[in-house]
Amino acid sequence: MADEKKFPSNQRILDLVLRMLNGEIITFATWKSYYHGNDHAKRTFQRDMQDITHALKKTNSKQRLVRKHDELRSEDERTEYSIVCTAVEDTDVDQHPQNIG
């Protein structure tokens, strides 16, 4: 527990959004390495992704959070999240990012 990195949730979410706006793809594994370093944070990760989704929708942003799922990857890297402009959506990307699981 001493190795756990502490970030206030608002700082963590802002950092996530900025990373994704800069083109970074976020998985649970990358999120853990940046913010938690332990295996007990899956629900917090899911909540962060939901908060970002809701904020982008609420502000009528031209960007949105998208999710791409690949069963062949490891559990912590199976689902990738990124922010894209709605004008350049990828048809292979899950169209329902609010169904995070």
Side-chain angles (χ1 to χ4, degrees):
M1 189 86 112
D3 293 329
E4 185 173 343
K5 302 167 190 168
K6 296 288 185 184
F7 279 82
S9 63
N10 58 347
Q11 180 183 348
R12 186 179 62 242
I13 289 171
L14 178 59
D15 188 66
L16 279 167
V17 169
L18 292 173
R19 286 175 183 277
M20 287 188 281
L21 285 173
N22 284 323
E24 189 170 339
I25 294 172
I26 302 294
T27 65
F28 181 54
T30 58
W31 180 90
K32 262 192 328 188
S33 72
Y34 294 142
Y35 310 113
H36 277 280
N38 66 39
D39 293 324
H40 307 292
K42 186 77 169 194
R43 182 65 192 119
T44 303
F45 170 71
Q46 292 169 335
R47 193 175 312 115
D48 284 356
M49 295 300 115
Q50 289 173 340
D51 288 348
I52 292 168
T53 298
H54 294 306
L56 291 171
K57 285 182 181 179
K58 185 176 181 179
T59 60
N60 294 318
S61 175
K62 292 181 181 178
Q63 288 80 23
R64 70 184 190 101
L65 184 70
V66 293
R67 174 175 82 150
K68 185 175 182 179
H69 191 73
D70 183 353
E71 286 292 330
L72 300 177
R73 299 185 75 175
S74 73
E75 184 176 344
D76 285 356
E77 296 178 352
R78 187 171 291 159
T79 305
E80 298 177 341
Y81 295 88
S82 58
I83 292 180
V84 298
C85 184
T86 55
V88 291
E89 291 180 15
D90 183 347
T91 57
D92 293 333
V93 175
D94 184 352
Q95 299 300 312
H96 304 287
Q98 66 276 14
N99 297 330
I100 297 170

